[in-house]
Amino acid sequence: MASLSDRLQDIFTKLKGKARLSEADVNEALREVRVALLEADVNYKVAKDFVASIKSRAIGSEVLESLTPGQQVVKIVNEEMMALMGGEQAKLVVSSKPPTVILMAGLQGSGKTTSAGKIALYLKSQGKRPLLAACDIYRPAAIRQLEILGEKNNIPVFSLGDQENPLKIATEAVAHARKHGNDYLIVDTAGRLQIDEDMMREIEAVAEAVNPTETLLVVDAMAGQDAVNAAKVFDERLPITGIVLTKLDGDTRGGAALSVKAVTGKPIKFTGTGEKVEALEPFYPDRMASRILGMGDMLSLIERAQSSLDQEKVIAMEQRLRQSKFTFEDYMEQLQQIKKMGDTNELLSMVPGMGKQLKNIQVDDKQFARAEAIIQSMTKVERTNPAVINGSRKLRIARGSGQSVQEVNRLLKQFEQMQKMIKQINAMTQGKKKGKIPFGLPF
Amino acid sequence: MGIFDKLHGGLGKTRVGFGTKVLDLLTGRYVDEDLFEELEEALILADIGVSTSCELVDTLRGRARKEKIKESEALRAALIEEITALLEETGDGETGLSLAEGKLNIVLLMGVNGAGKTTTIGKIAMREKAAGKKVILAAADTFRAAAADQLAVWAKRASCDIIRQNEGGDPGAVVFDACRAAIARKADLLLVDTAGRLQNKSNLMSELEKISKIIDREAPEAVRQALLVLDSTTGQNAVSQAKIFGESAKLDGLVLTKLDGTAKGGVVIGIGRETGLPVRLIGVGEGIEDLQDFNAYEFAKALFTE
């Protein structure tokens, strides 16, 4: 099943190929857009309204008489998409009277506990002192799950076990946070169906007692048409201030992201983009729109690089590259830095134009692991001077790393090419103004 | 309480959303083009998918013409027939777990994060244990924090054995141990819980292949089945889940969870058409007895009748 992004790009490529657009062309394209949106689980009504608003703008003279009518349509779609998702980035609101209480709510399995842990770590990395409160007394081991997340990331977790009611746990957690100087309190709650009256009353009571600054509704990005019904009810019962969209690293793109703001009027504040606790990102409607339209997302990529790469190492690496002193040690260093940045396929999809090209290429993260294993099986001499690697050394390296000699050869060849490339780049930039090799990464 | 009443009761809330809408549409009206268009919208809203919905409506249009269906009630009956037929076309007509007697059965449950795998396993364990089977649970979700603890709670409730290792351990090793234990202790049923994984993570998908190979090697005599657990609130992405999980592990069917909400799980109709995977079990509530064998006709009927 082609993703929304692919489908839309195909539709717009067809449009862009035309020198003139007739009203019929636009209508045909928009009909396809509507189907693509529905197949991506954009809510029925949202899709309908979205297409209608594009249509009213696109069949105006500004598009039909333009020299690049296809481009104009894409521009309109991009703008409307941004608007649909809220336009501006919505940040977490801070309470003037600490602790700032963040209440998590949502259906079962949407990812509340994981998101609570991620948000806590996010705040901690900004120098805050978050406290987690474990109020899911129903799901077996839910409290334990939160405690483990806390232990691993050195974040305190407040819990009274599963015999006390969530209202009491939450209330005491606020007092605990105040006493211990925690400026943020994140209250994890049990998953509940929006039609479960008892459970909805329970969370209403919690919200009333702890008076949260932020009440975040956790929504699964893979949710279907019913997502908006659930979101609407939660929004009616609780003072929802924003959405956390989880599992966005799946192969579904955007359906719920496009609908949820339109239906609840509440902005998406965060997205969950991976299994790791660090995989939480603030949500930017403009970047999401350009990702969906295949225009890439360089800003996110650069930010990701800046936050995960070790700047000192990068500068040292750049100098070595300039002097064409690139060894296997450096190569390994790079592999590790890239791994820190996240899933390779996801990174590549952020490069403009790459998303579509890479449709059928899956970059296997394991290739990195294999390369690392091979390098680790080399001696120090071999790493700094690969020329010494002869047949018997190759055999030893292959055995040591559990790879075939062919694999070792492939890596050596790759490395050689890389060295050549670095020399070329250096030759090209010599004499010119200081050309900067981005992040010290030659690929 | 009969199975139908139970399913009907469990799906009662479902009908408040989709069912009521279709019911209103198909009550006391004459069949005309407007009706067909509204019906198409209602089916799409039930996550049945654009192409399946359009085809269903086209089929109904054809039948209405041929059979001279004038009243909406008759159209409703035709809709139930068509959906039942689509669901029954898939699979081998078997439903439920259909475990082999006197042999070791191994059931591997997989799915994306938060689909309800562990809870489903807990319910199956309680059900089969009550039916006199010797059940062992394998906690092969070594990734998510406290996943094994969660399964251990279920093992205690069902008073059956659990095979587990430390968090971050190798799921393959857990499955290896579990196969050995199941054979040594002459178990009737080994239920393997796996970590939730999104279907586009190729490394995690190959872990499933590995688990599958270990079972092949360690328990070649066992009767195996692999079930994909689907959250009924999932939309069209479920089709991709069924396809890609099917590539890594030979799937035998689906478990549709959380049907007690307002979501419809309509996507299973499209999945059946595209992959041939039948629904085996459905979860319609929190209780143990709320895990039920799937029945296509009752499923369709409970959705569309009062």
Side-chain angles (χ1 to χ4, degrees):
Chain A
M1 192 167 64
S3 74
L4 175 60
S5 182
D6 297 334
R7 296 270 299 261
L8 291 180
Q9 286 175 62
D10 284 341
I11 297 167
F12 294 134
T13 309
K14 263 190 270 167
L15 271 192
K16 282 190 211 156
K18 293 188 175 164
R20 295 211 73 91
L21 285 188
S22 68
E23 208 174 310
D25 291 333
V26 174
N27 282 335
E28 170 62 16
L30 288 180
R31 200 189 58 77
E32 287 175 37
V33 168
R34 182 175 157 269
V35 173
L37 292 173
L38 289 175
E39 293 283 357
D41 294 318
V42 174
N43 173 262
Y44 188 89
K45 196 174 169 302
V46 174
K48 203 168 156 185
D49 294 349
F50 180 69
V51 168
S53 65
I54 292 172
K55 191 168 171 176
S56 70
R57 287 182 62 186
I59 53 180
S61 56
E62 110 189 76
V63 169
L64 298 182
E65 285 163 21
S66 153
L67 287 174
T68 52
Q71 295 277 17
Q72 292 294 324
V73 174
V74 177
K75 185 172 157 259
I76 292 172
V77 172
N78 189 17
E79 286 168 8
E80 292 290 327
M81 242 181 214
M82 265 159 51
L84 198 59
M85 291 186 287
E88 301 270 298
Q89 186 215 350
K91 291 189 175 149
L92 276 184
V93 177
V94 186
S95 166
S96 55
K97 210 174 121 230
T100 299
V101 179
I102 302 175
L103 178 66
M104 311 292 289
L107 298 171
Q108 286 97 340
S110 52
K112 286 171 299 302
T113 307
T114 305
S115 299
K118 286 179 175 181
I119 292 175
L121 185 64
Y122 172 83
L123 291 169
K124 188 176 168 233
S125 70
Q126 298 191 333
K128 313 288 190 219
R129 303 192 54 219
L131 173 70
L132 285 160
C135 290
D136 181 356
I137 58 168
Y138 304 98
R139 181 164 59 91
I143 295 175
R144 186 78 201 111
Q145 184 184 351
L146 198 67
E147 284 172 348
I148 292 175
L149 280 170
E151 275 163 34
K152 276 191 183 156
N153 300 294
N154 220 348
I155 294 161
V157 178
F158 182 84
S159 143
L160 293 176
D162 58 6
Q163 299 302 320
E164 294 291 348
N165 70 61
L167 184 62
K168 184 174 174 199
I169 303 172
T171 319
E172 288 192 16
V174 177
H176 184 93
R178 212 165 273 148
K179 200 168 144 204
H180 292 80
N182 297 106
D183 46 2
Y184 281 86
L185 171 67
I186 300 149
V187 182
D188 183 32
T189 62
R192 63 202 73 222
L193 288 169
Q194 80 277 13
I195 50 171
D196 189 331
E197 196 45 45
D198 292 345
M199 290 295 281
M200 289 308 282
R201 239 181 256 140
E202 177 201 276
I203 199 168
E204 271 178 334
V206 170
E208 224 164 275
V210 302
N211 191 20
T213 308
E214 290 274 4
T215 304
L216 299 178
L217 180 66
V218 182
V219 178
D220 185 332
M222 293 179 292
Q225 297 288 336
D226 192 55
V228 297
N229 298 333
K232 240 193 276 177
V233 177
F234 272 100
D235 188 39
E236 282 160 16
R237 303 288 297 260
L238 292 170
I240 299 291
T241 52
I243 311 284
V244 181
L245 197 62
T246 60
K247 308 178 205 172
L248 203 63
D249 49 329
D251 62 1
T252 185
R253 289 275 158 88
L258 284 173
S259 318
V260 78
K261 162 74 173 50
V263 174
T264 60
K266 303 294 153 62
I268 300 171
K269 295 213 165 170
F270 290 105
T271 59
T273 53
E275 306 251 348
K276 291 184 184 150
V277 202
E278 294 82 17
L280 179 84
E281 288 178 11
F283 181 78
Y284 300 92
D286 49 340
R287 299 184 193 179
M288 185 68 185
S290 72
R291 265 202 236 185
I292 293 177
L293 293 173
M295 302 191 287
D297 184 2
M298 279 313 275
L299 275 175
S300 292
L301 185 62
I302 292 168
E303 280 179 7
R304 187 81 75 83
Q306 280 169 344
S307 69
S308 52
L309 298 185
D310 185 329
Q311 286 310 313
E312 273 174 37
K313 282 186 181 166
V314 170
I315 292 164
M317 174 91 68
E318 196 183 322
Q319 274 169 359
R320 298 178 63 75
L321 287 179
R322 268 188 202 296
Q323 296 156 9
S324 301
K325 277 187 197 154
F326 185 64
T327 69
F328 267 117
E329 302 265 350
D330 302 317
Y331 188 31
M332 180 112 117
E333 183 65 44
Q334 285 192 352
L335 289 178
Q336 272 153 3
Q337 298 264 359
I338 290 173
K339 264 205 326 212
K340 271 206 300 203
M341 280 171 65
D343 182 84
T344 330
N345 288 300
E346 196 208 336
L347 294 179
L348 286 171
S349 74
M350 291 183 194
V351 181
M354 282 295 247
K356 200 146 162 37
Q357 250 108 55
L358 286 169
K359 210 159 126 189
N360 297 311
I361 311 169
Q362 268 274 332
V363 178
D364 189 352
D365 277 329
K366 270 203 184 132
Q367 267 174 355
F368 288 168
R370 277 185 217 120
E372 262 180 67
I374 294 174
I375 299 172
Q376 268 158 355
S377 296
M378 294 176 183
T379 62
K380 209 156 183 184
V381 177
E382 287 165 348
R383 284 186 212 175
T384 37
N385 185 15
V388 302
I389 301 179
N390 57 17
S392 80
R393 281 176 188 262
K394 273 182 202 166
L395 205 61
R396 195 203 73 244
I397 293 168
R399 268 202 218 117
S401 58
Q403 302 296 321
S404 63
V405 176
Q406 284 95 315
E407 284 286 338
V408 177
N409 278 331
R410 201 171 301 148
L411 184 74
L412 287 171
K413 182 121 198 211
Q414 219 179 356
F415 181 76
E416 214 174 285
Q417 280 167 349
M418 233 181 263
Q419 272 184 321
K420 238 185 242 164
M421 203 171 82
I422 291 162
K423 277 192 190 129
Q424 273 171 5
I425 293 174
N426 281 339
M428 264 159 45
T429 49
Q430 234 147 48
K432 284 190 198 163
K433 263 193 198 158
K434 261 201 167 177
K436 216 171 148 62
I437 302 174
F439 319 122
L441 302 175
F443 59 102
Chain B
M1 201 187 230
I3 290 179
F4 175 75
D5 294 327
K6 189 71 211 182
L7 177 61
H8 190 73
L11 292 178
K13 295 166 196 152
T14 304
R15 289 179 306 117
V16 174
F18 169 56
T20 315
K21 174 138 198 197
V22 177
L23 208 58
D24 287 348
L25 268 179
L26 296 180
T27 303
R29 278 180 65 169
Y30 285 105
V31 175
D32 57 14
E33 194 42 41
D34 284 351
L35 182 63
F36 284 120
E37 273 176 25
E38 287 171 49
L39 189 59
E40 186 181 301
E41 173 183 343
L43 294 174
I44 290 172
L45 279 171
D47 289 322
I48 291 175
V50 180
S51 56
T52 312
S53 297
C54 290
E55 280 170 42
L56 266 171
V57 169
D58 279 345
T59 311
L60 286 179
R61 250 193 214 109
R63 282 188 60 172
R65 208 179 310 122
K66 222 158 78 199
E67 298 164 26
K68 307 213 176 349
I69 299 175
K70 293 270 183 324
E71 270 132 29
S72 55
E73 281 77 5
L75 197 70
R76 185 202 307 167
L79 179 61
I80 293 171
E81 271 175 39
E82 292 300 330
I83 291 186
T84 309
L86 279 178
L87 287 166
E88 278 178 349
E89 267 170 33
T90 47
D92 46 14
E94 292 267 1
T95 178
L97 276 181
S98 51
L99 300 175
E101 290 292 329
K103 278 185 156 177
L104 170 61
N105 290 270
I106 300 181
V107 180
L108 186 62
L109 278 99
M110 56 190 79
V112 299
N113 317 58
K117 290 172 295 299
T118 310
T119 306
T120 301
I121 287 203
K123 289 183 186 172
I124 297 177
M126 303 240 353
R127 193 169 92 162
E128 297 304 325
K129 178 80 187 181
K133 298 263 198 310
K134 183 166 175 58
V135 183
I136 294 183
L137 308 183
D141 180 356
T142 54
F143 181 81
R144 204 198 63 198
D149 293 332
Q150 187 181 347
L151 195 68
V153 173
W154 282 104
K156 207 169 157 199
R157 285 182 192 168
S159 51
C160 59
D161 294 349
I162 178 172
I163 307 296
R164 60 182 291 187
Q165 287 185 359
N166 290 336
E167 212 175 286
D170 175 19
V174 175
V175 174
F176 179 91
D177 286 351
C179 286
R180 291 277 167 107
I183 293 167
R185 299 176 201 175
K186 300 198 169 43
D188 300 299
L189 177 61
L190 171 63
L191 294 164
V192 182
D193 187 22
T194 60
R197 64 202 74 218
L198 298 176
Q199 68 272 26
N200 59 340
K201 310 273 164 163
S202 58
N203 53 337
L204 292 176
M205 296 307 283
S206 48
E207 184 187 282
L208 281 180
E209 287 172 39
K210 182 178 159 195
I211 288 176
S212 187
K213 271 187 213 147
I214 291 171
I215 298 176
D216 280 340
R217 204 178 59 217
E218 295 307 315
E221 308 281 311
V223 182
R224 297 176 45 178
Q225 48 184 313
L227 300 177
L228 176 69
V229 181
L230 276 184
D231 181 335
S232 58
T233 59
T234 312
Q236 297 311 301
N237 186 260
V239 180
S240 151
Q241 291 173 25
K243 281 188 187 162
I244 302 176
F245 273 97
E247 286 166 17
S248 294
K250 207 199 128 294
L251 286 176
D252 297 285
L254 310 170
V255 181
L256 193 59
T257 62
K258 308 182 200 172
L259 261 181
D260 47 333
T262 49
K264 300 90 192 177
V267 70
V268 295
I269 301 170
I271 293 179
R273 293 183 65 213
E274 289 205 36
T275 64
L277 284 175
V279 186
R280 297 275 185 207
L281 298 167
I282 56 172
V284 292
E286 307 259 320
I288 305 302
E289 67 289 353
D290 294 328
L291 181 77
Q292 303 179 352
D293 292 353
F294 179 74
N295 178 308
Y297 178 67
E298 287 180 0
F299 182 78
K301 203 168 107 181
L303 281 170
F304 299 120
T305 52
E306 218 152 5

